[in-house]
Amino acid sequence: MSTQLSEEEWRVKLTPEQFRVLRLKGTERPGTGEYDKHYEEGVYHCAGCDAPLYKSSTKFNSGCGWPAFFDAIPGALTRHRDDSIGRTRTEIVCAKCGGHLGHVFKGEGYKNPTDERHCVNSVSLRFQKQ
C-alpha cells in the first residue's frame, strides 16, 4: 500500500530538511547525519512513512560520510536511473511513499555479500531499536 500525500501535507508532516531531502531529492552534507556512525541493533525506517527499510545487520562503515548499507529489506526500495549530475547513478526511494533515500553504488570493492553501497541520507531515516 503506497502513501500518497499532497505536497502541502508532506510539508506539514516533515521537518523542512526532511522535506528537502525526501520530497525534493536533496542531499544532506556528508558527516552531518545522526546515523552515519550509528551501530545499534534494530531497524531503520523511512522518516516519511515509517516503512521498514534496512536491518542494522546490513549497515557498514564505508567512510563516505553517510550511512551505508549493503542490502535493504526485500521490497522496501525502488531503484531509478538518475542522470541529474551529468553521470548515471542509481537513485533509491522508499517503495511505499516514494521518498528519496539516496543512491546505490555497485562494484566499489567493499567486502560485503552484495558488492553494493546504499548511500542513504540520515534525515530520510528513523531508527527503531530491537
Side-chain angles (χ1 to χ4, degrees), residues 65-125:
W66 291 275
F69 302 86
F70 62 80
D71 204 4
I73 291 172
L77 307 180
T78 303
R79 297 176 184 219
H80 301 284
R81 181 183 170 127
D82 177 3
D83 296 312
S84 65
I85 64 167
R87 65 179 174 90
T88 301
R89 301 181 294 170
T90 302
E91 178 192 17
I92 45 177
V93 301
C94 173
K96 184 176 177 188
C97 73
H100 173 76
L101 303 171
H103 291 85
V104 63
F105 302 93
K106 196 159 182 69
E108 295 179 316
Y110 290 104
K111 303 238 185 288
N112 66 54
T114 62
D115 196 22
E116 289 187 346
R117 174 175 58 98
H118 295 219
C119 186
V120 182
N121 292 286
S122 285
V123 75
S124 297
L125 301 171

CSV table of all heavy atoms in Angstrom, one decimal, residues 65-125:
chain,number,residue,atom,x,y,z
A,65,GLY,N,30.7,9.3,4.7
A,65,GLY,CA,30.1,10.4,5.3
A,65,GLY,C,28.6,10.3,5.5
A,65,GLY,O,27.9,11.2,6.0
A,66,TRP,N,28.0,9.2,4.9
A,66,TRP,CA,26.6,9.0,5.0
A,66,TRP,C,26.4,7.5,5.5
A,66,TRP,O,27.3,6.7,5.3
A,66,TRP,CB,25.9,9.1,3.7
A,66,TRP,CG,25.8,10.5,3.2
A,66,TRP,CD1,24.8,11.4,3.5
A,66,TRP,CD2,26.6,11.1,2.3
A,66,TRP,NE1,25.1,12.6,2.8
A,66,TRP,CE2,26.2,12.4,2.0
A,66,TRP,CE3,27.8,10.7,1.6
A,66,TRP,CZ2,26.8,13.3,1.2
A,66,TRP,CZ3,28.5,11.6,0.8
A,66,TRP,CH2,27.9,12.9,0.6
A,67,PRO,N,25.3,7.2,6.1
A,67,PRO,CA,25.0,5.8,6.5
A,67,PRO,C,25.1,4.9,5.2
A,67,PRO,O,24.6,5.3,4.2
A,67,PRO,CB,23.6,5.8,7.0
A,67,PRO,CG,23.3,7.2,7.5
A,67,PRO,CD,24.2,8.1,6.5
A,68,ALA,N,25.8,3.8,5.4
A,68,ALA,CA,25.9,2.9,4.2
A,68,ALA,C,25.4,1.5,4.6
A,68,ALA,O,25.7,1.0,5.7
A,68,ALA,CB,27.4,2.7,3.8
A,69,PHE,N,24.7,0.9,3.7
A,69,PHE,CA,24.1,-0.4,3.9
A,69,PHE,C,24.4,-1.2,2.6
A,69,PHE,O,24.6,-0.7,1.5
A,69,PHE,CB,22.6,-0.3,4.0
A,69,PHE,CG,22.1,0.5,5.1
A,69,PHE,CD1,21.9,1.9,5.0
A,69,PHE,CD2,21.8,0.0,6.4
A,69,PHE,CE1,21.5,2.7,6.0
A,69,PHE,CE2,21.4,0.8,7.4
A,69,PHE,CZ,21.2,2.1,7.2
A,70,PHE,N,24.5,-2.6,2.8
A,70,PHE,CA,24.8,-3.4,1.6
A,70,PHE,C,23.5,-4.1,1.1
A,70,PHE,O,23.6,-4.6,0.0
A,70,PHE,CB,25.9,-4.4,1.8
A,70,PHE,CG,25.7,-5.4,2.9
A,70,PHE,CD1,24.9,-6.6,2.7
A,70,PHE,CD2,26.3,-5.3,4.1
A,70,PHE,CE1,24.7,-7.5,3.6
A,70,PHE,CE2,26.1,-6.3,5.1
A,70,PHE,CZ,25.3,-7.4,4.9
A,71,ASP,N,22.4,-4.0,1.8
A,71,ASP,CA,21.2,-4.6,1.3
A,71,ASP,C,20.0,-4.0,2.0
A,71,ASP,O,20.1,-3.6,3.2
A,71,ASP,CB,21.2,-6.1,1.4
A,71,ASP,CG,20.3,-6.9,0.5
A,71,ASP,OD1,19.7,-6.2,-0.4
A,71,ASP,OD2,20.2,-8.1,0.6
A,72,ALA,N,18.9,-4.0,1.4
A,72,ALA,CA,17.6,-3.5,2.0
A,72,ALA,C,16.7,-4.7,2.4
A,72,ALA,O,16.9,-5.8,1.9
A,72,ALA,CB,16.9,-2.5,1.1
A,73,ILE,N,15.7,-4.4,3.1
A,73,ILE,CA,14.6,-5.3,3.4
A,73,ILE,C,13.9,-5.6,2.1
A,73,ILE,O,13.6,-4.7,1.3
A,73,ILE,CB,13.7,-4.8,4.5
A,73,ILE,CG1,14.4,-4.7,5.8
A,73,ILE,CG2,12.4,-5.6,4.6
A,73,ILE,CD1,13.7,-4.0,6.9
A,74,PRO,N,13.7,-6.9,1.7
A,74,PRO,CA,13.1,-7.2,0.4
A,74,PRO,C,11.8,-6.4,0.2
A,74,PRO,O,10.9,-6.3,1.0
A,74,PRO,CB,12.8,-8.7,0.5
A,74,PRO,CG,13.9,-9.2,1.4
A,74,PRO,CD,14.0,-8.1,2.5
A,75,GLY,N,11.7,-5.7,-1.0
A,75,GLY,CA,10.5,-5.0,-1.4
A,75,GLY,C,10.5,-3.6,-0.9
A,75,GLY,O,9.5,-2.8,-1.2
A,76,ALA,N,11.4,-3.2,0.0
A,76,ALA,CA,11.4,-1.8,0.6
A,76,ALA,C,11.8,-0.7,-0.3
A,76,ALA,O,11.3,0.4,0.0
A,76,ALA,CB,12.3,-1.8,1.9
A,77,LEU,N,12.6,-0.9,-1.3
A,77,LEU,CA,13.1,0.1,-2.1
A,77,LEU,C,12.7,0.0,-3.6
A,77,LEU,O,12.4,-1.1,-4.1
A,77,LEU,CB,14.6,0.1,-2.1
A,77,LEU,CG,15.4,0.1,-0.8
A,77,LEU,CD1,16.9,0.1,-1.1
A,77,LEU,CD2,15.0,1.3,0.0
A,78,THR,N,12.7,1.1,-4.3
A,78,THR,CA,12.5,1.1,-5.7
A,78,THR,C,13.8,1.9,-6.2
A,78,THR,O,14.2,2.8,-5.7
A,78,THR,CB,11.3,1.9,-6.1
A,78,THR,OG1,10.1,1.3,-5.5
A,78,THR,CG2,11.1,1.9,-7.7
A,79,ARG,N,14.3,1.4,-7.3
A,79,ARG,CA,15.5,2.0,-7.9
A,79,ARG,C,15.1,2.7,-9.2
A,79,ARG,O,14.3,2.2,-10.0
A,79,ARG,CB,16.6,0.9,-8.2
A,79,ARG,CG,17.1,0.2,-7.0
A,79,ARG,CD,18.0,-0.9,-7.3
A,79,ARG,NE,18.4,-1.7,-6.2
A,79,ARG,CZ,19.7,-2.1,-5.9
A,79,ARG,NH1,20.6,-1.9,-6.8
A,79,ARG,NH2,19.9,-2.7,-4.8
A,80,HIS,N,15.8,3.8,-9.4
A,80,HIS,CA,15.5,4.6,-10.6
A,80,HIS,C,16.9,5.1,-11.2
A,80,HIS,O,17.8,5.5,-10.4
A,80,HIS,CB,14.7,5.9,-10.3
A,80,HIS,CG,13.4,5.6,-9.8
A,80,HIS,ND1,12.3,5.2,-10.5
A,80,HIS,CD2,12.9,5.8,-8.5
A,80,HIS,CE1,11.2,5.0,-9.7
A,80,HIS,NE2,11.6,5.4,-8.5
A,81,ARG,N,17.0,5.2,-12.5
A,81,ARG,CA,18.2,5.8,-13.1
A,81,ARG,C,18.1,7.3,-12.9
A,81,ARG,O,17.1,7.9,-13.0
A,81,ARG,CB,18.1,5.5,-14.6
A,81,ARG,CG,19.3,6.1,-15.4
A,81,ARG,CD,19.1,5.8,-16.9
A,81,ARG,NE,20.1,6.5,-17.6
A,81,ARG,CZ,20.9,6.0,-18.5
A,81,ARG,NH1,20.8,4.7,-18.8
A,81,ARG,NH2,21.9,6.7,-19.1
A,82,ASP,N,19.3,7.8,-12.5
A,82,ASP,CA,19.4,9.2,-12.2
A,82,ASP,C,20.6,9.8,-12.9
A,82,ASP,O,21.8,9.5,-12.7
A,82,ASP,CB,19.7,9.4,-10.6
A,82,ASP,CG,19.9,10.8,-10.2
A,82,ASP,OD1,19.8,11.7,-11.0
A,82,ASP,OD2,20.2,11.0,-9.0
A,83,ASP,N,20.3,10.7,-13.9
A,83,ASP,CA,21.3,11.4,-14.7
A,83,ASP,C,21.4,12.8,-14.3
A,83,ASP,O,22.0,13.6,-15.1
A,83,ASP,CB,21.0,11.3,-16.2
A,83,ASP,CG,21.0,9.8,-16.7
A,83,ASP,OD1,22.0,9.1,-16.4
A,83,ASP,OD2,20.0,9.4,-17.3
A,84,SER,N,21.0,13.2,-13.1
A,84,SER,CA,20.9,14.6,-12.7
A,84,SER,C,22.2,15.4,-12.6
A,84,SER,O,22.2,16.6,-12.6
A,84,SER,CB,20.0,14.8,-11.5
A,84,SER,OG,20.7,14.2,-10.4
A,85,ILE,N,23.3,14.7,-12.4
A,85,ILE,CA,24.6,15.4,-12.2
A,85,ILE,C,25.5,15.2,-13.3
A,85,ILE,O,26.7,15.4,-13.2
A,85,ILE,CB,25.2,15.0,-10.8
A,85,ILE,CG1,25.6,13.6,-10.8
A,85,ILE,CG2,24.4,15.4,-9.7
A,85,ILE,CD1,26.5,13.2,-9.6
A,86,GLY,N,25.0,14.8,-14.5
A,86,GLY,CA,25.9,14.6,-15.6
A,86,GLY,C,26.5,13.2,-15.8
A,86,GLY,O,27.3,13.0,-16.7
A,87,ARG,N,26.3,12.3,-14.8
A,87,ARG,CA,26.7,10.9,-14.9
A,87,ARG,C,25.6,10.1,-14.4
A,87,ARG,O,24.8,10.5,-13.6
A,87,ARG,CB,28.0,10.7,-14.2
A,87,ARG,CG,28.0,10.9,-12.7
A,87,ARG,CD,29.4,10.6,-12.1
A,87,ARG,NE,29.4,10.9,-10.7
A,87,ARG,CZ,29.1,10.0,-9.7
A,87,ARG,NH1,28.8,8.8,-10.0
A,87,ARG,NH2,29.2,10.3,-8.4
A,88,THR,N,25.6,8.8,-14.8
A,88,THR,CA,24.5,7.9,-14.4
A,88,THR,C,24.8,7.4,-13.0
A,88,THR,O,25.8,6.8,-12.7
A,88,THR,CB,24.3,6.8,-15.4
A,88,THR,OG1,24.1,7.4,-16.7
A,88,THR,CG2,23.2,5.9,-15.0
A,89,ARG,N,23.7,7.5,-12.2
A,89,ARG,CA,23.7,6.9,-10.8
A,89,ARG,C,22.4,6.1,-10.7
A,89,ARG,O,21.5,6.3,-11.5
A,89,ARG,CB,23.8,7.9,-9.7
A,89,ARG,CG,25.1,8.8,-9.8
A,89,ARG,CD,25.1,9.8,-8.7
A,89,ARG,NE,24.0,10.7,-8.7
A,89,ARG,CZ,23.7,11.6,-7.8
A,89,ARG,NH1,24.4,11.6,-6.7
A,89,ARG,NH2,22.7,12.5,-7.9
A,90,THR,N,22.3,5.4,-9.6
A,90,THR,CA,21.0,4.7,-9.3
A,90,THR,C,20.4,5.3,-8.0
A,90,THR,O,21.0,5.1,-7.0
A,90,THR,CB,21.2,3.2,-9.2
A,90,THR,OG1,21.8,2.7,-10.4
A,90,THR,CG2,19.9,2.5,-8.9
A,91,GLU,N,19.3,6.0,-8.2
A,91,GLU,CA,18.6,6.5,-7.1
A,91,GLU,C,17.8,5.5,-6.4
A,91,GLU,O,17.2,4.6,-7.0
A,91,GLU,CB,17.7,7.7,-7.5
A,91,GLU,CG,16.9,8.3,-6.4
A,91,GLU,CD,15.7,9.2,-6.8
A,91,GLU,OE1,15.3,9.1,-8.0
A,91,GLU,OE2,15.3,9.9,-6.0
A,92,ILE,N,17.7,5.5,-5.0
A,92,ILE,CA,16.9,4.6,-4.3
A,92,ILE,C,15.8,5.4,-3.5
A,92,ILE,O,16.1,6.5,-3.0
A,92,ILE,CB,17.7,3.7,-3.3
A,92,ILE,CG1,18.7,4.5,-2.5
A,92,ILE,CG2,18.3,2.6,-4.0
A,92,ILE,CD1,19.5,3.7,-1.5
A,93,VAL,N,14.6,5.0,-3.7
A,93,VAL,CA,13.5,5.6,-3.0
A,93,VAL,C,12.7,4.6,-2.2
A,93,VAL,O,12.7,3.4,-2.5
A,93,VAL,CB,12.5,6.4,-4.0
A,93,VAL,CG1,13.3,7.4,-4.8
A,93,VAL,CG2,11.8,5.4,-4.9
A,94,CYS,N,11.9,5.1,-1.2
A,94,CYS,CA,11.0,4.2,-0.4
A,94,CYS,C,9.9,3.7,-1.4
A,94,CYS,O,9.3,4.5,-2.0
A,94,CYS,CB,10.5,5.0,0.7
A,94,CYS,SG,9.2,4.1,1.7
A,95,ALA,N,9.7,2.4,-1.4
A,95,ALA,CA,8.7,1.8,-2.2
A,95,ALA,C,7.3,2.2,-1.8
A,95,ALA,O,6.4,2.2,-2.6
A,95,ALA,CB,8.8,0.3,-2.3
A,96,LYS,N,7.1,2.5,-0.5
A,96,LYS,CA,5.8,2.8,0.0
A,96,LYS,C,5.4,4.3,-0.3
A,96,LYS,O,4.3,4.6,-0.7
A,96,LYS,CB,5.7,2.6,1.5
A,96,LYS,CG,4.4,2.8,2.1
A,96,LYS,CD,4.3,2.4,3.5
A,96,LYS,CE,3.0,2.7,4.2
A,96,LYS,NZ,3.0,2.5,5.6
A,97,CYS,N,6.3,5.3,-0.1
A,97,CYS,CA,5.9,6.7,-0.2
A,97,CYS,C,6.7,7.4,-1.3
A,97,CYS,O,6.4,8.6,-1.6
A,97,CYS,CB,6.1,7.4,1.1
A,97,CYS,SG,7.8,7.7,1.6
A,98,GLY,N,7.7,6.8,-1.9
A,98,GLY,CA,8.5,7.4,-3.0
A,98,GLY,C,9.5,8.4,-2.5
A,98,GLY,O,10.1,9.1,-3.2
A,99,GLY,N,9.7,8.5,-1.1
A,99,GLY,CA,10.7,9.4,-0.6
A,99,GLY,C,12.1,9.1,-1.0
A,99,GLY,O,12.5,7.9,-1.0
A,100,HIS,N,12.8,10.1,-1.4
A,100,HIS,CA,14.2,9.9,-1.8
A,100,HIS,C,15.1,9.6,-0.6
A,100,HIS,O,15.1,10.2,0.4
A,100,HIS,CB,14.8,11.3,-2.4
A,100,HIS,CG,16.2,11.3,-2.7
A,100,HIS,ND1,16.7,10.6,-3.8
A,100,HIS,CD2,17.3,11.8,-2.1
A,100,HIS,CE1,18.0,10.8,-3.8
A,100,HIS,NE2,18.4,11.5,-2.8
A,101,LEU,N,15.8,8.5,-0.8
A,101,LEU,CA,16.7,8.0,0.3
A,101,LEU,C,18.2,8.3,0.0
A,101,LEU,O,18.9,8.7,0.9
A,101,LEU,CB,16.6,6.5,0.5
A,101,LEU,CG,15.1,6.0,0.8
A,101,LEU,CD1,15.0,4.5,0.8
A,101,LEU,CD2,14.7,6.6,2.1
A,102,GLY,N,18.6,8.1,-1.2
A,102,GLY,CA,20.0,8.4,-1.6
A,102,GLY,C,20.3,7.6,-2.9
A,102,GLY,O,19.4,7.6,-3.8
A,103,HIS,N,21.5,7.0,-3.0
A,103,HIS,CA,21.9,6.3,-4.2
A,103,HIS,C,22.6,5.0,-3.8
A,103,HIS,O,23.1,4.9,-2.7
A,103,HIS,CB,22.8,7.2,-5.0
A,103,HIS,CG,22.1,8.4,-5.6
A,103,HIS,ND1,22.0,9.6,-4.9
A,103,HIS,CD2,21.5,8.6,-6.8
A,103,HIS,CE1,21.3,10.4,-5.6
A,103,HIS,NE2,21.0,9.9,-6.8
A,104,VAL,N,22.6,4.1,-4.8
A,104,VAL,CA,23.3,2.8,-4.6
A,104,VAL,C,24.4,2.7,-5.6
A,104,VAL,O,24.2,3.1,-6.8
A,104,VAL,CB,22.3,1.6,-4.7
A,104,VAL,CG1,21.7,1.5,-6.0
A,104,VAL,CG2,23.0,0.3,-4.3
A,105,PHE,N,25.5,2.3,-5.1
A,105,PHE,CA,26.7,2.1,-6.0
A,105,PHE,C,27.2,0.7,-5.9
A,105,PHE,O,27.1,0.1,-4.9
A,105,PHE,CB,27.8,3.1,-5.5
A,105,PHE,CG,27.4,4.5,-5.4
A,105,PHE,CD1,26.9,5.1,-4.3
A,105,PHE,CD2,27.5,5.3,-6.6
A,105,PHE,CE1,26.4,6.4,-4.3
A,105,PHE,CE2,27.1,6.6,-6.6
A,105,PHE,CZ,26.5,7.2,-5.4
A,106,LYS,N,27.6,0.2,-7.0
A,106,LYS,CA,28.0,-1.2,-7.1
A,106,LYS,C,29.4,-1.3,-7.6
A,106,LYS,O,29.9,-0.5,-8.4
A,106,LYS,CB,27.0,-1.9,-8.1
A,106,LYS,CG,27.1,-3.5,-8.0
A,106,LYS,CD,25.8,-4.1,-8.6
A,106,LYS,CE,25.8,-5.6,-8.5
A,106,LYS,NZ,25.7,-6.1,-7.2
A,107,GLY,N,30.1,-2.4,-7.2
A,107,GLY,CA,31.4,-2.7,-7.7
A,107,GLY,C,32.5,-1.8,-7.2
A,107,GLY,O,33.5,-1.6,-7.8
A,108,GLU,N,32.4,-1.2,-6.0
A,108,GLU,CA,33.4,-0.4,-5.4
A,108,GLU,C,34.4,-1.1,-4.6
A,108,GLU,O,35.4,-0.6,-4.1
A,108,GLU,CB,32.8,0.7,-4.5
A,108,GLU,CG,31.9,1.6,-5.3
A,108,GLU,CD,31.2,2.7,-4.4
A,108,GLU,OE1,30.8,2.3,-3.3
A,108,GLU,OE2,31.2,3.9,-4.7
A,109,GLY,N,34.3,-2.5,-4.5
A,109,GLY,CA,35.3,-3.3,-3.8
A,109,GLY,C,35.1,-3.4,-2.3
A,109,GLY,O,35.9,-4.0,-1.6
A,110,TYR,N,33.9,-3.0,-1.8
A,110,TYR,CA,33.6,-3.2,-0.4
A,110,TYR,C,33.4,-4.7,-0.2
A,110,TYR,O,32.8,-5.4,-0.9
A,110,TYR,CB,32.4,-2.4,0.1
A,110,TYR,CG,32.7,-1.0,0.2
A,110,TYR,CD1,32.2,-0.1,-0.8
A,110,TYR,CD2,33.4,-0.4,1.2
A,110,TYR,CE1,32.4,1.3,-0.7
A,110,TYR,CE2,33.7,1.0,1.3
A,110,TYR,CZ,33.2,1.8,0.3
A,110,TYR,OH,33.4,3.1,0.3
A,111,LYS,N,33.9,-5.2,0.9
A,111,LYS,CA,33.8,-6.7,1.2
A,111,LYS,C,32.5,-6.9,1.9
A,111,LYS,O,32.4,-7.0,3.1
A,111,LYS,CB,35.0,-7.1,2.0
A,111,LYS,CG,36.3,-6.8,1.4
A,111,LYS,CD,37.2,-8.0,1.2
A,111,LYS,CE,38.5,-7.7,0.7
A,111,LYS,NZ,38.6,-7.3,-0.7
A,112,ASN,N,31.4,-7.0,1.1
A,112,ASN,CA,30.1,-7.4,1.7
A,112,ASN,C,29.4,-8.3,0.7
A,112,ASN,O,29.9,-8.4,-0.5
A,112,ASN,CB,29.3,-6.1,2.0
A,112,ASN,CG,28.9,-5.3,0.8
A,112,ASN,OD1,28.3,-5.8,-0.2
A,112,ASN,ND2,29.2,-4.0,0.8
A,113,PRO,N,28.4,-9.0,1.1
A,113,PRO,CA,27.8,-10.0,0.2
A,113,PRO,C,27.2,-9.5,-1.1
A,113,PRO,O,27.0,-10.3,-2.0
A,113,PRO,CB,26.6,-10.5,1.1
A,113,PRO,CG,27.0,-10.2,2.5
A,113,PRO,CD,27.8,-8.9,2.4
A,114,THR,N,26.9,-8.2,-1.2
A,114,THR,CA,26.2,-7.8,-2.5
A,114,THR,C,27.1,-6.9,-3.4
A,114,THR,O,26.8,-6.6,-4.5
A,114,THR,CB,25.0,-6.9,-2.1
A,114,THR,OG1,25.4,-5.8,-1.4
A,114,THR,CG2,23.9,-7.7,-1.4
A,115,ASP,N,28.3,-6.5,-2.8
A,115,ASP,CA,29.2,-5.6,-3.5
A,115,ASP,C,28.5,-4.3,-3.9
A,115,ASP,O,28.7,-3.7,-4.9
A,115,ASP,CB,29.8,-6.2,-4.8
A,115,ASP,CG,31.0,-5.4,-5.3
A,115,ASP,OD1,31.6,-4.7,-4.5
A,115,ASP,OD2,31.3,-5.5,-6.5
A,116,GLU,N,27.5,-3.9,-3.0
A,116,GLU,CA,26.8,-2.7,-3.1
A,116,GLU,C,27.0,-1.8,-1.9
A,116,GLU,O,27.2,-2.3,-0.8
A,116,GLU,CB,25.3,-2.9,-3.3
A,116,GLU,CG,24.9,-3.5,-4.6
A,116,GLU,CD,23.4,-3.6,-4.8
A,116,GLU,OE1,22.6,-3.4,-3.8
A,116,GLU,OE2,23.0,-3.8,-5.9
A,117,ARG,N,26.9,-0.5,-2.2
A,117,ARG,CA,26.9,0.5,-1.1
A,117,ARG,C,25.6,1.4,-1.3
A,117,ARG,O,25.5,2.1,-2.2
A,117,ARG,CB,28.1,1.4,-1.1
A,117,ARG,CG,28.1,2.5,-0.1
A,117,ARG,CD,29.4,3.3,0.0
A,117,ARG,NE,29.7,3.9,-1.3
A,117,ARG,CZ,29.5,5.1,-1.7
A,117,ARG,NH1,28.9,6.0,-0.9
A,117,ARG,NH2,29.9,5.6,-2.9
A,118,HIS,N,24.7,1.2,-0.4
A,118,HIS,CA,23.5,2.1,-0.4
A,118,HIS,C,23.9,3.3,0.5
A,118,HIS,O,24.0,3.2,1.7
A,118,HIS,CB,22.3,1.4,0.2
A,118,HIS,CG,21.8,0.2,-0.5
A,118,HIS,ND1,20.5,-0.1,-0.7
A,118,HIS,CD2,22.5,-0.8,-1.2
A,118,HIS,CE1,20.4,-1.2,-1.4
A,118,HIS,NE2,21.6,-1.6,-1.7
A,119,CYS,N,24.1,4.4,-0.2
A,119,CYS,CA,24.5,5.6,0.5
A,119,CYS,C,23.2,6.4,0.8
A,119,CYS,O,22.5,7.0,-0.1
A,119,CYS,CB,25.4,6.4,-0.5
A,119,CYS,SG,26.1,7.9,0.2
A,120,VAL,N,22.8,6.5,2.1
A,120,VAL,CA,21.5,7.0,2.5
A,120,VAL,C,21.6,8.2,3.3
A,120,VAL,O,22.4,8.2,4.3
A,120,VAL,CB,20.7,5.8,3.2
A,120,VAL,CG1,19.3,6.3,3.6
A,120,VAL,CG2,20.6,4.6,2.4
A,121,ASN,N,20.8,9.2,3.1
A,121,ASN,CA,20.7,10.4,3.9
A,121,ASN,C,20.1,10.0,5.3
A,121,ASN,O,19.0,9.4,5.4
A,121,ASN,CB,19.8,11.4,3.3
A,121,ASN,CG,20.4,12.0,2.0
A,121,ASN,OD1,21.4,12.8,2.1
A,121,ASN,ND2,19.9,11.6,0.9
A,122,SER,N,20.8,10.4,6.4
A,122,SER,CA,20.3,10.1,7.7
A,122,SER,C,18.9,10.7,7.9
A,122,SER,O,18.0,10.1,8.6
A,122,SER,CB,21.2,10.7,8.8
A,122,SER,OG,22.4,9.9,9.0
A,123,VAL,N,18.7,11.9,7.4
A,123,VAL,CA,17.4,12.6,7.6
A,123,VAL,C,16.2,11.9,6.9
A,123,VAL,O,15.1,12.1,7.3
A,123,VAL,CB,17.5,14.1,7.1
A,123,VAL,CG1,17.5,14.1,5.6
A,123,VAL,CG2,16.4,14.9,7.7
A,124,SER,N,16.5,10.9,6.0
A,124,SER,CA,15.5,10.1,5.4
A,124,SER,C,15.1,8.9,6.3
A,124,SER,O,14.2,8.2,5.9
A,124,SER,CB,16.0,9.6,4.1
A,124,SER,OG,16.2,10.6,3.2
A,125,LEU,N,15.8,8.7,7.4
A,125,LEU,CA,15.7,7.5,8.2
A,125,LEU,C,15.2,7.8,9.6
A,125,LEU,O,15.3,9.0,10.1
A,125,LEU,CB,17.0,6.8,8.3
A,125,LEU,CG,17.7,6.3,7.0
A,125,LEU,CD1,19.1,5.8,7.4
A,125,LEU,CD2,16.8,5.3,6.4
